[in-house]
Amino acid sequence: MALDGLKQRITRSVGLLKGKRKVDEETAKDLSRSLRKALLEADFNVRQSKELTERIERRMLEEEPRPGVKLETHAMNLIYTELVRILGRPREIMPHNQTILMVGLYGQGKTTTTAKLADWWRRRHGVKVAVIEADVHRPGAFEQLQQLLEGTNVDVYGEPGEQDATKIVRNGIKEVGNVDVVIIDTAGRDSLDEPLRDELVGIAEIANATERFLVIDAQVGQAAGPVAETFHELVGVTGTIVTKLDGTARGGGALSAVSATGAPIVFIGEGEKVQDLEKFESDRFISRLLGLGDIKGLIDLAPGDLDQEEAARLAQRLMSGRFTLTDMYSQMEMMSKIGSVEKMLSHLPDAMFGGMGNMSMAQKRQMQGNLEKYRVIMDSMTQKEKDEPILLKSSRIRRIARGSGVNEKDVKELLAQWNRSRKMMRGMKGDRSFRRKMKSMMDVDDMDLDMG
Amino acid sequence: MGLFDRFKKRFKKTDEKEITAEENSVEAEEAVEQGKRLKEALEEARPTPQEATPKPTLEIEEEWDDSDEITEDPFAKPIGRKERKKARRAASVEKAERPTESEKPTTKDPMQSTTGHDLVASGPVEIEINLGDSVTKTGGRVVMSSDKLDRILEELEEELLSSDMAQSAVEDVIHTLKATLIGSRISTTKKIEVVVEEALRSTLLRLLEAGYWDFNKTVSAHLEDSSPVVIMLVGVNGTGKTTTTAKIANRLTQQGRSVVLAAADTFRAGAIDQLAIHAERLGVRCIRSQRGGDAAAVARDAVESARARGEDVVIIDTAGRMQNKTNLMEELRKVHRVTQPHLVIFVADALAGNDAVTQAVEFQRMLRFDGAALCKLDTDAKGGAALSIAHATGRPIVLAGVGQGYDDLIDFDPAWLIDSILE
């Protein structure tokens, strides 16, 4: 897999922090240098890698890791958030009333990807798809598309021999009629050729495409940024498709293209067959890249309005083992967004969320019922009380109960619940077999799991 | 702003005194010592070619290769510099003692071209930096190690990386440059930035010029010995093999050669049609089969039929493949075995970044290409991939693709590329 190389590099860089208690300038510099090398080798933009690693270096020095969090985990966390930031927010493309224009340089895999996309929507969503071959320059493009989509019900429109691409597109759109998705494949071009540029702009005008996808090869290096910019100026790119990720190329150039256009990666191509297309999810991609394993499960559950970075951060914090009422509060907030406690906990290792995964079904149901009440109670606490629940003595409890309109008994119950979770976690400390189990479950071989 | 504009600016800001030391000063002596140490460390750190390129499995090849004479296994070279020199000398002695030309089988030795000079040996190239006449024996100033020098070199490194030269190659160049600079006596008449620029330019140029061979002359020379001359194009997907095949066919027909194309890319949809249409436009024959057919059979057919008709050149267009797919690479080797091409050309993408190295090394290991064609040089790409390929395999870039027209294939000009990278 193309990503393994980068993953190893990053892990090795973070390994520089092993056993360290404090980051001094030298260590931070070493880390940043080593990371930069890793990114450059993966073809990330030179300037971007520099900025990114400098930011990580600065944050390593400025931000204290939370107590109990090892430096390695802290660094991994920073790298994760910084990388996710580059990739931008993922987009969902609905397969209805779409006209998609495929653009890119020569030989990036536009025609193959056109066929893959058509087949994807046909297969996954059962919608009616038509493709129009508007590459009038490369011989054999129409035949290629036809052969790739042989045996599917995807309509392939093309006029081999016709030299006017805009005419093909105009006729094609009329010809394919009422379909859910129309995909238009265009000729590959370099960024200097005027006639080809004019032709592309002409096609874009006629097609009035809802989406303009830039197809870019994973092996493309530093030129990726400028190339993406050029296409963005011409047609306004709305999505990026990275191809040939089945080779050894690490795709950093393509990721840099994303930051040049702001158009997120929507699909990735991982092979020569029509089925070899995958939907791209940036956070999953990055956690896979960093070996953060199951965090993606948590993120996957989160609906769109839940801040994914926040979710990842929370998960990390919980894994580090320090558990206050504030943490409990944000968990509950998140759970209420996701839906049921049961659903959420089923996706998490038992030890996560203060060992709540170990609860019985009945307890979970009760918890669900209590959720709302607990939130209200906590809303009546001060931040300090939430951070240090130990402060809560009878007078404070009385005040909170009055403020949230519940009995003192309910407040005490909440505290008991918190205490149970905390004890559970304390009990896990030093339990080697448990830690091993958890480690294998989460596939976080390179993360530090210090259970508070 | 070009590389050296910025670079020079940095130098002007820097006080020369912080980079160089006075003659006979303590610092100068220290710098000389340090330079020596750096050079030694560099020598030790250098990977031996044996480690870098594992030996290919030659056993299978032998049953096909009965007409092929492999004088030396390029991958089983001795390790040290001295030993290598010794081996080279021994080889040349052997060559001189060998019986006369007539007994030699036709020019199938992959290490030999008929252009008069040998193709350079494969394997990673050692960077050598020559400061030329900038160095004086006596007098002058001694360059010493300093933070400022480091920062300048770092900036230089960044610029080379921006041109898509691979990380490994850049590192090698910069480290060697540093080791050479520190402790050197620079004549006072020359500014240090000029010295560095000259050293870098000549190093990169030498890297690209090593083993360069002229495409036209080589084809002509091969033709004098035997016909048809078989040229095979290989590379990963989408670098421009089919287009380059057409361009080479065009170039050769214009020189009055008769050309046959072999559509041995039986895998990619539309590839056969693409080549067939090119052949029709160029008025040359194209040997083809069904999609999914045996690539080696198509290639062999093309060679046989060209031989029967007395045609001059056969160009084999192969299917693009990722170098990490072993089975597909084996298939490519099969095409190579049955056709015994005179020239194998690795088609590389000028847009490629660090992956160019992995690709080139792997293709070199599997097939031993003679030279590379760098395509898509008309894009935004600066073409540092050329330097990576030359550095990693020691094989020259001979052709450059600069557009989609049939005439847009030119002989690769190293100086032009260096200029475009450095300015």
Side-chain angles (χ1 to χ4, degrees), chain A residues 36-37 40-41 43 46 105-107 138-139 144 147 190-192 219-222 244 246 248-249 272, chain B residues 158 164 167 171 237-238 267-270 273-274 323-325 351-355 359 376 378 380 404:
Chain A
R36 206 170 128 216
K37 220 171 126 181
L40 286 174
E41 239 175 21
D43 288 324
V46 174
L105 296 170
Y106 343 103
R138 184 165 63 95
Q144 181 178 356
Q147 285 166 19
D190 57 55
S191 29
L192 307 168
Q219 67 160 314
V220 176
Q222 300 295 327
K244 302 180 203 173
D246 52 328
T248 51
E272 292 178 81
Chain B
E158 210 166 279
D164 269 330
Q167 166 95 28
E171 222 165 65
N237 312 59
F267 186 79
R268 179 170 65 91
D273 303 277
Q274 186 179 350
Q323 69 283 4
N324 53 349
K325 305 235 167 105
L351 290 161
N354 282 278
D355 199 44
Q359 288 169 17
K376 305 186 201 169
D378 50 331
D380 283 329
Q404 283 220 298

Side-chain angles (χ1 to χ4, degrees), chain A residues 3-4 6-8 10-11 76 79-80 83 283-296 316 319 439-449:
Chain A
L3 299 173
D4 288 347
L6 181 56
K7 178 178 163 181
Q8 276 167 16
I10 291 180
T11 314
M76 217 44 155
I79 297 168
Y80 177 85
L83 284 176
D283 28 44
R284 285 192 165 199
F285 185 79
I286 298 291
S287 37
R288 197 165 76 176
L289 181 69
L290 299 184
L292 295 184
D294 210 41
I295 285 176
K296 74 182 180 201
Q316 289 260 295
M319 280 195 297
K439 227 172 177 168
S440 72
M441 222 153 80
M442 299 189 57
D443 182 36
V444 277
D445 40 350
D446 32 29
M447 256 185 58
D448 168 53
L449 285 176

